[in-house]
């Protein structure tokens, strides 16, 4: 139970974030003490229950933003929302914990002095490759916001940061084993030295990466980016969708006025990019000629590129297909590209297995009227702007590392993440989102604009560090920033296959070492 609490508070948004480093060692020590009088099957079920309980408690604390969204916008009673988060999402976390930490404990022979390298690499691999509803990086969460260590994501990917946090956990496990007479002090010293060198290398790489100091002032022809945070509430959408639509019509006028004021803080002689976050545009941009005309007239009056998100649809045979899109318009109002959202939120933007269980899907549509049903896009689109390229993954798109990686591989030199976090109320959703965006920025060595409807809005450099002030939760405002579009190299982005290969070789070598040590021990015992 304590491990679940520590797992929850060890996430972005809490001042006790580093306590998350104690969550995994607590779970490892509990798993080490599985009742020996149980069969392997019973131990598997018992350990799975422990992992599910840990994941459920952690989810209730760290993901209370899911509870808020399910309750307010899903129109479900609060106890049901708690159950969905604690039992449902907690199950997902519990399965990952079981695969990463419990399964090796059950399957490997009792080799207390040799199993750490294999179990560490296995846990890192599970965190990286295990399919999940929401692609958190379990090992990186408690280290989020430590700039020197986070730079290692450029080499290892954010999942690879588990080498630090999981390595720390196994040091504490070995200390517990020593205390209980299961290993010698020499074994603990070897593990401690190995993990200390690992952390030292991580901090050293971070110092080397960040030693350049603050960014230089960009030249006058740098791209000027204006991000609008209108603090447009979607609360009315939960109870009265028709009223919410009229509110959105009024919101377009306010959005245009905010944009005018923001553009006055820039120079019309240099290229400009205006960004509207997700869900603030009042209709379907490519389906509503009147709204499209208003936007085109604004752009021609105030020459700037405009990046916005909307919905779109097309008919395919007897079926309509709906998409969440982002698009870039030039100063004449002409479309420069269109991206279709790839990572769809289950039960928010899509109904899992709806084609297999149509009656179940129809019942859900009646219960959750605000749920959308989009078709996932397939192309990692980038948009041309001035002398560079920009991409606009939408909201939770950034949880899937592949999305931004492929966009940057396709040429993106700036990633704009238009988001709508109004669904999650006053919670840690923005903190978690910013942490994930820091990882994506560092992994791909690309600057990122986090542009949220209700907060937060901030520019992150290619090192993941803030380059501007932050517009916090429910704070209407405008953010202006200048940057030069340029490409940077990144090992984890450019060579993910090689990184996976190194991990696979390391796993095989660790397994071979464990088996060899087991055979030598068996010969000595005879």
């Amino acid at each position: 139970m304590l491990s679940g609490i520590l797992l929850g508070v060890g996430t972005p948004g809490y001042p006790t974030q580093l306590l998350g480093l104690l969550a995994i060692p607590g779970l490892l020590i509990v798993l080490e003490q599985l009742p020996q009088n149980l069969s392997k099957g019973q131990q598997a079920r018992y350990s799975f229950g422990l992992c599910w309980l840990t994941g459920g408690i952690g989810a209730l604390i760290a993901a209370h933003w899911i509870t808020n969204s399910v309750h307010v916008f899903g129109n479900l009673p609060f106890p049901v929302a708690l159950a969905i988060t604690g039992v449902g999402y907690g199950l997902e976390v519990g399965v990952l914990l079981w695969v990463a930490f419990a399964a090796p404990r059950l399957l490997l022979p009792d080799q207390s002095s040799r199993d750490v390298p294999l179990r560490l690499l296995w846990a890192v691999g599970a965190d990286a490759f295990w399919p999940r509803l929401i692609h958190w990086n379990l090992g990186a969460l408690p280290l989020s916001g430590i700039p020197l260590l986070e730079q290692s994501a450029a080499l290892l990917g954010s999942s690879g940061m588990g080498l630090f946090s999981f390595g720390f956990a196994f040091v504490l496990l070995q200390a517990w084993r020593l205390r209980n007479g299961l290993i010698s002090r020499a074994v603990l010293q070897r593990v401690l030295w190995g993990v200390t060198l690992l952390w030292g290398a991580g901090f050293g790489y971070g110092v080397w990466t960040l030693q350049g100091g603050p960014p230089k002032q960009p030249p006058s022809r740098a791209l000027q980016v204006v991000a609008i945070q209108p603090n447009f509430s979607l609360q009315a959408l939960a109870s009265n969708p028709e009223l919410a639509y009229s509110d959105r019509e009024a919101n377009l006028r306010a959005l245009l006025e905010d944009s005018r004021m923001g553009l006055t803080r820039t120079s019309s002689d240099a290229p400009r990019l205006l960004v509207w976050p997700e869900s603030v545009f009042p209709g379907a941009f490519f389906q509503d000629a009147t709204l499209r005309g208003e936007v085109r007239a604004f752009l021609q009056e105030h020459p700037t590129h405009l990046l916005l998100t909307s919905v779109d649809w097309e008919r395919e045979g007897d079926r309509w297909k709906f998409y969440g899109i982002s698009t870039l318009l030039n100063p004449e109002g002409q479309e420069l590209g269109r991206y279709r959202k790839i990572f769809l939120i289950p039960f928010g933007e899509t109904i899992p297995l709806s084609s297999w269980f149509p009656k179940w899907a129809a019942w859900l549509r009646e219960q959750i009227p605000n749920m959308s049903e989009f078709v996932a896009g397939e192309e990692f689109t980038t948009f041309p702007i001035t002398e560079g390229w920009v991409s606009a993954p939408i909201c939770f798109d950034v949880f899937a590392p592949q999305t931004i990686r492929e966009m940057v591989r396709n040429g993106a030199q700036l990633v704009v993440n238009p988001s709508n976090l109004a669904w999650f109320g006053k919670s840690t959703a923005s903190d978690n989102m910013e942490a994930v965006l820091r990882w994506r920025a560092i992994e791909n060595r690309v600057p990122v604009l986090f542009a949220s409807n209700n907060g937060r809005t901030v520019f992150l450099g290619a090192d993941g560090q803030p380059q501007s002030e932050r517009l916090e939760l429910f704070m209407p405002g405008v953010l202006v920033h200048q940057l030069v579009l340029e490409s940077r190299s990144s090992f984890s982005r450019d060579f993910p296959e090689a990184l996976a290969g190194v991990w696979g070789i390391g796993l095989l070598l660790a397994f071979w070492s464990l088996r060899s040590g087991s055979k030598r021990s068996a010969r000595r015992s005879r």
Side-chain angles (χ1 to χ4, degrees):
M1 182 177 295
L2 180 60
S3 291
I5 294 173
L6 293 173
L7 185 66
V9 300
T11 57
Y14 293 98
T16 54
Q17 189 173 311
L18 285 176
L19 285 178
L21 288 173
L22 301 177
I24 300 304
L27 179 63
L28 290 175
I29 290 172
V30 171
L31 292 173
E32 196 81 0
Q33 303 176 79
L34 292 175
Q36 297 301 308
N37 59 336
L38 300 179
S39 66
K40 284 292 184 181
Q42 291 172 324
Q43 286 186 342
R45 291 190 292 272
Y46 184 86
S47 61
F48 182 78
L50 287 172
C51 291
W52 191 355
L53 177 63
T54 300
I57 295 172
L60 285 172
I61 298 172
H64 65 286
W65 43 274
I66 295 179
T67 304
N68 180 83
S69 179
V70 172
H71 174 54
V72 175
F73 295 98
N75 292 309
L76 296 180
F78 190 70
V80 176
L82 282 174
I84 289 174
T85 304
V87 179
Y89 183 53
L91 173 61
E92 182 193 358
V93 179
V95 170
L96 174 58
L97 291 174
W98 190 86
V99 170
F101 302 108
R105 174 71 183 88
L106 296 171
L107 296 176
L108 293 176
D110 186 15
Q111 294 288 332
S112 299
S113 63
R114 305 182 186 91
D115 63 347
V116 168
L118 180 60
R119 292 178 65 182
L120 174 58
L121 288 172
W122 176 266
V124 171
D127 193 28
F129 302 122
W130 187 259
R132 278 168 279 182
L133 177 70
I134 299 177
H135 294 244
W136 294 116
N137 295 113
L138 188 64
L141 277 175
L143 302 176
S144 178
I146 304 179
L148 292 179
L149 274 183
E150 282 188 317
Q151 301 309 307
S152 298
L155 295 176
L156 306 170
S158 54
S159 293
M161 291 171 63
L163 288 172
F164 304 114
S165 55
F166 298 159
F168 176 80
F170 279 105
V171 167
L172 295 187
L173 174 64
Q174 292 296 78
W176 179 88
R177 285 173 168 177
L178 175 64
R179 181 180 179 184
N180 288 271
L182 299 175
I183 62 171
S184 67
R185 187 175 297 274
V187 171
L188 173 61
Q189 289 176 343
R190 285 197 296 269
V191 174
L192 181 59
W193 273 111
V195 173
T196 299
L197 289 174
L198 184 65
W199 277 66
F203 276 115
Y205 178 74
V207 171
W208 177 75
T209 302
L210 297 177
Q211 67 181 354
K216 298 179 180 179
Q217 184 68 22
S220 58
R221 290 293 295 177
L223 179 64
Q224 305 170 101
V225 185
V226 180
I228 309 297
Q229 182 171 297
N231 191 28
F232 173 60
S233 174
L234 296 180
Q235 183 72 38
L237 187 62
S239 57
N240 191 339
E242 294 182 0
L243 176 63
Y245 185 78
S246 65
D247 286 346
R248 288 189 180 194
E249 287 183 323
N251 185 64
L252 178 59
R253 293 190 291 273
L255 189 61
L256 293 175
E257 184 58 33
D258 289 343
S259 300
R260 287 188 185 94
M261 290 190 297
L263 290 171
T264 60
R265 297 166 54 185
T266 65
S267 169
S268 59
D269 296 330
R272 300 186 292 188
L273 171 63
L274 176 63
V275 177
W276 291 348
E278 185 185 19
S279 297
V280 299
F281 193 75
F285 182 80
F286 291 106
Q287 305 293 335
D288 192 321
T290 301
L291 289 174
R292 198 162 59 251
E294 289 186 52
V295 172
R296 181 176 292 115
F298 173 84
L299 294 180
Q300 292 172 353
E301 180 184 358
H302 307 277
T304 179
H305 289 78
L306 171 64
L307 194 153
L308 60 85
T309 66
S310 184
V311 294
D312 195 22
W313 56 80
E314 63 184 14
R315 191 177 183 90
E316 186 176 279
D318 59 350
R319 179 188 174 207
W320 288 97
K321 288 186 174 182
F322 295 85
Y323 304 93
I325 66 163
S326 60
T327 185
L328 181 68
L329 309 176
N330 68 13
E332 288 74 42
Q334 299 169 333
E335 178 190 359
L336 296 179
R338 191 181 313 183
Y339 164 72
R340 291 173 172 174
K341 187 176 184 183
I342 293 175
F343 184 79
L344 303 179
I345 302 301
F347 307 107
E349 297 170 325
T350 184
I351 301 177
L353 307 178
S354 60
S355 59
W356 291 8
F357 305 100
K359 292 184 178 179
W360 175 66
W363 178 81
L364 277 176
R365 292 187 201 102
E366 294 178 358
Q367 302 303 311
I368 311 176
N370 299 316
M371 178 169 54
S372 303
E373 287 188 80
F374 293 149
V375 175
E378 298 178 351
E379 297 183 6
F380 302 97
T381 308
T382 56
F383 310 130
I385 183 169
T386 61
E387 298 179 358
W389 296 83
V390 62
S391 64
I394 304 170
C395 203
F396 278 20
D397 260 329
V398 301
F399 281 166
Q402 180 188 18
T403 304
I404 292 183
R405 180 172 68 237
E406 294 303 323
M407 287 176 169
V408 177
R409 280 180 158 186
N410 286 342
Q413 297 156 309
L414 168 65
V415 172
V416 177
N417 177 229
S419 296
N420 167 29
L421 301 183
W423 304 103
F424 306 118
K426 294 182 179 180
S427 68
T428 59
S430 292
D431 298 278
N432 285 282
M433 197 75 155
E434 184 178 341
V436 172
L437 284 168
R438 280 203 307 273
W439 301 335
R440 299 294 93 91
I442 297 169
E443 286 171 338
N444 297 282
R445 289 305 185 200
V446 63
V448 172
L449 167 60
F450 178 20
S452 176
N453 174 4
N454 290 76
R456 116 179 4 125
T457 297
V458 63
F459 285 90
L460 303 172
D463 57 3
Q465 302 310 298
Q467 301 296 314
S468 71
E469 62 175 325
R470 285 185 177 88
L471 298 180
E472 295 291 354
L473 280 177
F474 309 110
M475 177 192 295
V478 177
L479 213 57
V480 178
H481 186 69
Q482 296 185 67
L483 76 160
V484 177
L485 298 182
E486 56 184 347
S487 300
R488 302 169 177 85
S489 61
S490 165
F491 184 83
S492 65
R493 179 198 71 213
D494 297 332
F495 305 102
E497 298 84 3
L499 193 61
V502 171
W503 170 83
I505 293 172
L507 194 68
L508 290 174
L509 290 175
F511 181 73
W512 174 81
S513 176
L514 180 63
R515 289 294 303 271
S516 300
S518 177
K519 290 179 180 179
R520 289 195 297 270
S521 297
R523 286 196 297 268
R524 284 196 296 267
S525 64
R526 290 198 297 267

